[in-house]
PDB file of all heavy atoms in Angstrom:
ATOM      1  N   ALA A 229      15.223 -20.173   5.855  1.00 45.00           N
ATOM      2  CA  ALA A 229      15.469 -21.405   5.057  1.00 45.00           C
ATOM      3  C   ALA A 229      15.180 -21.067   3.565  1.00 45.00           C
ATOM      4  O   ALA A 229      14.059 -21.193   3.083  1.00 45.00           O
ATOM      5  CB  ALA A 229      14.494 -22.507   5.456  1.00 45.00           C
ATOM      6  N   GLN A 230      16.207 -20.519   2.878  1.00 50.00           N
ATOM      7  CA  GLN A 230      16.062 -20.050   1.478  1.00 50.00           C
ATOM      8  C   GLN A 230      15.657 -21.227   0.512  1.00 50.00           C
ATOM      9  O   GLN A 230      14.849 -21.071  -0.386  1.00 50.00           O
ATOM     10  CB  GLN A 230      17.370 -19.461   1.005  1.00 50.00           C
ATOM     11  CG  GLN A 230      17.224 -18.732  -0.308  1.00 50.00           C
ATOM     12  CD  GLN A 230      16.294 -17.614  -0.251  1.00 50.00           C
ATOM     13  OE1 GLN A 230      16.099 -16.953   0.743  1.00 50.00           O
ATOM     14  NE2 GLN A 230      15.590 -17.276  -1.349  1.00 50.00           N
ATOM     15  N   SER A 231      16.199 -22.401   0.757  1.00 51.00           N
ATOM     16  CA  SER A 231      15.911 -23.564  -0.079  1.00 51.00           C
ATOM     17  C   SER A 231      14.298 -23.875   0.002  1.00 51.00           C
ATOM     18  O   SER A 231      13.753 -24.250  -1.019  1.00 51.00           O
ATOM     19  CB  SER A 231      16.756 -24.729   0.201  1.00 51.00           C
ATOM     20  OG  SER A 231      16.522 -25.163   1.523  1.00 51.00           O
ATOM     21  N   ALA A 232      13.852 -23.879   1.243  1.00 58.00           N
ATOM     22  CA  ALA A 232      12.429 -24.134   1.477  1.00 58.00           C
ATOM     23  C   ALA A 232      11.666 -23.123   0.732  1.00 58.00           C
ATOM     24  O   ALA A 232      10.533 -23.377   0.162  1.00 58.00           O
ATOM     25  CB  ALA A 232      12.103 -24.205   2.878  1.00 58.00           C
ATOM     26  N   LEU A 233      12.105 -21.869   0.780  1.00 60.00           N
ATOM     27  CA  LEU A 233      11.327 -20.660   0.149  1.00 60.00           C
ATOM     28  C   LEU A 233      11.214 -21.006  -1.312  1.00 60.00           C
ATOM     29  O   LEU A 233      10.259 -20.775  -1.974  1.00 60.00           O
ATOM     30  CB  LEU A 233      11.986 -19.462   0.495  1.00 60.00           C
ATOM     31  CG  LEU A 233      11.567 -18.176  -0.181  1.00 60.00           C
ATOM     32  CD1 LEU A 233      10.099 -17.945  -0.085  1.00 60.00           C
ATOM     33  CD2 LEU A 233      12.279 -16.988   0.064  1.00 60.00           C
ATOM     34  N   GLN A 234      12.454 -21.285  -1.915  1.00 67.00           N
ATOM     35  CA  GLN A 234      12.396 -21.464  -3.403  1.00 67.00           C
ATOM     36  C   GLN A 234      11.595 -22.687  -3.774  1.00 67.00           C
ATOM     37  O   GLN A 234      10.828 -22.632  -4.844  1.00 67.00           O
ATOM     38  CB  GLN A 234      13.857 -21.855  -3.837  1.00 67.00           C
ATOM     39  CG  GLN A 234      14.706 -20.559  -3.706  1.00 67.00           C
ATOM     40  CD  GLN A 234      16.202 -20.950  -4.097  1.00 67.00           C
ATOM     41  OE1 GLN A 234      16.539 -22.147  -4.182  1.00 67.00           O
ATOM     42  NE2 GLN A 234      17.044 -19.899  -4.126  1.00 67.00           N
ATOM     43  N   ALA A 235      11.452 -23.712  -2.927  1.00 69.00           N
ATOM     44  CA  ALA A 235      10.566 -24.767  -3.228  1.00 69.00           C
ATOM     45  C   ALA A 235       9.179 -24.470  -3.202  1.00 69.00           C
ATOM     46  O   ALA A 235       8.364 -24.839  -4.067  1.00 69.00           O
ATOM     47  CB  ALA A 235      10.883 -25.994  -2.231  1.00 69.00           C
ATOM     48  N   GLU A 236       8.757 -23.611  -2.169  1.00 72.00           N
ATOM     49  CA  GLU A 236       7.351 -23.169  -2.120  1.00 72.00           C
ATOM     50  C   GLU A 236       7.037 -22.221  -3.190  1.00 72.00           C
ATOM     51  O   GLU A 236       5.916 -22.336  -3.807  1.00 72.00           O
ATOM     52  CB  GLU A 236       7.195 -22.360  -0.716  1.00 72.00           C
ATOM     53  CG  GLU A 236       7.182 -23.308   0.447  1.00 72.00           C
ATOM     54  CD  GLU A 236       5.887 -24.195   0.520  1.00 72.00           C
ATOM     55  OE1 GLU A 236       4.975 -23.932  -0.216  1.00 72.00           O
ATOM     56  OE2 GLU A 236       5.865 -25.208   1.244  1.00 72.00           O
ATOM     57  N   THR A 237       7.979 -21.391  -3.616  1.00 74.00           N
ATOM     58  CA  THR A 237       7.751 -20.504  -4.752  1.00 74.00           C
ATOM     59  C   THR A 237       7.454 -21.243  -6.054  1.00 74.00           C
ATOM     60  O   THR A 237       6.600 -20.907  -6.858  1.00 74.00           O
ATOM     61  CB  THR A 237       8.966 -19.565  -4.968  1.00 74.00           C
ATOM     62  OG1 THR A 237       9.146 -18.825  -3.673  1.00 74.00           O
ATOM     63  CG2 THR A 237       8.688 -18.550  -6.121  1.00 74.00           C
ATOM     64  N   GLU A 238       8.202 -22.231  -6.248  1.00 77.00           N
ATOM     65  CA  GLU A 238       8.091 -23.112  -7.455  1.00 77.00           C
ATOM     66  C   GLU A 238       6.822 -23.858  -7.366  1.00 77.00           C
ATOM     67  O   GLU A 238       6.089 -24.082  -8.410  1.00 77.00           O
ATOM     68  CB  GLU A 238       9.309 -24.082  -7.618  1.00 77.00           C
ATOM     69  CG  GLU A 238       9.295 -24.928  -8.857  1.00 77.00           C
ATOM     70  CD  GLU A 238       9.316 -24.073 -10.120  1.00 77.00           C
ATOM     71  OE1 GLU A 238       9.942 -22.929 -10.012  1.00 77.00           O
ATOM     72  OE2 GLU A 238       8.693 -24.513 -11.071  1.00 77.00           O
ATOM     73  N   ARG A 239       6.466 -24.315  -6.202  1.00 77.00           N
ATOM     74  CA  ARG A 239       5.176 -25.064  -6.003  1.00 77.00           C
ATOM     75  C   ARG A 239       4.020 -24.119  -6.320  1.00 77.00           C
ATOM     76  O   ARG A 239       3.082 -24.557  -7.032  1.00 77.00           O
ATOM     77  CB  ARG A 239       5.189 -25.601  -4.548  1.00 77.00           C
ATOM     78  CG  ARG A 239       3.818 -26.405  -4.291  1.00 77.00           C
ATOM     79  CD  ARG A 239       3.930 -27.679  -5.046  1.00 77.00           C
ATOM     80  NE  ARG A 239       2.781 -28.533  -4.656  1.00 77.00           N
ATOM     81  CZ  ARG A 239       2.397 -29.588  -5.566  1.00 77.00           C
ATOM     82  NH1 ARG A 239       2.981 -29.839  -6.560  1.00 77.00           N
ATOM     83  NH2 ARG A 239       1.413 -30.299  -5.099  1.00 77.00           N
ATOM     84  N   ALA A 240       4.062 -22.912  -5.832  1.00 80.00           N
ATOM     85  CA  ALA A 240       3.042 -21.943  -6.111  1.00 80.00           C
ATOM     86  C   ALA A 240       2.847 -21.646  -7.666  1.00 80.00           C
ATOM     87  O   ALA A 240       1.736 -21.552  -8.117  1.00 80.00           O
ATOM     88  CB  ALA A 240       3.218 -20.673  -5.403  1.00 80.00           C
TER      89      ALA A 240
END
Side-chain angles (χ1 to χ4, degrees):
Q230 189 64 30
S231 59
L233 170 61
Q234 291 174 349
E236 286 291 348
T237 301
E238 185 60 33
R239 184 66 177 161

